[in-house]
Amino acid sequence: MRLSARNQVRARVVGVTEGEATANVELDASGVRMVASITVEAARELKLSEGREVVAVIKASDVMLAVPD
């Protein structure tokens, strides 16, 4: 698979929680916890389960920052 997206992070699936339409996929990216929300259909098609190696492709139109009070 070749993509133009540059924000690609290798990760391991540590859990999948399926809802009615959305699945939350918890990832471990070298000690950093990430959660991807995808359709249940996509999670099943990708056969996502604990231990599966994946690449998280991140596309965001906004980044918000916060500082302590």
Side-chain angles (χ1 to χ4, degrees), residues 7 58-66:
N7 297 325
I58 302 163
K59 179 180 177 178
S61 58
D62 298 295
V63 176
M64 296 166 55
L65 302 176

Side-chain angles (χ1 to χ4, degrees), residues 45-68:
E45 285 178 6
L46 293 171
K47 298 180 175 136
L48 297 180
S49 61
E50 189 173 333
R52 177 92 190 239
E53 298 292 324
V54 298
V55 176
V57 180
I58 302 163
K59 179 180 177 178
S61 58
D62 298 295
V63 176
M64 296 166 55
L65 302 176
V67 297

Side-chain angles (χ1 to χ4, degrees), residues 7-35:
N7 297 325
Q8 299 180 32
V9 179
R10 293 186 184 279
R12 183 177 49 83
V13 175
V14 295
V16 179
T17 304
E18 290 187 0
E20 194 169 319
T22 304
N24 287 327
V25 184
E26 186 174 354
L27 306 171
D28 176 3
S30 298
V32 176
R33 180 180 178 268
M34 299 171 58
V35 178

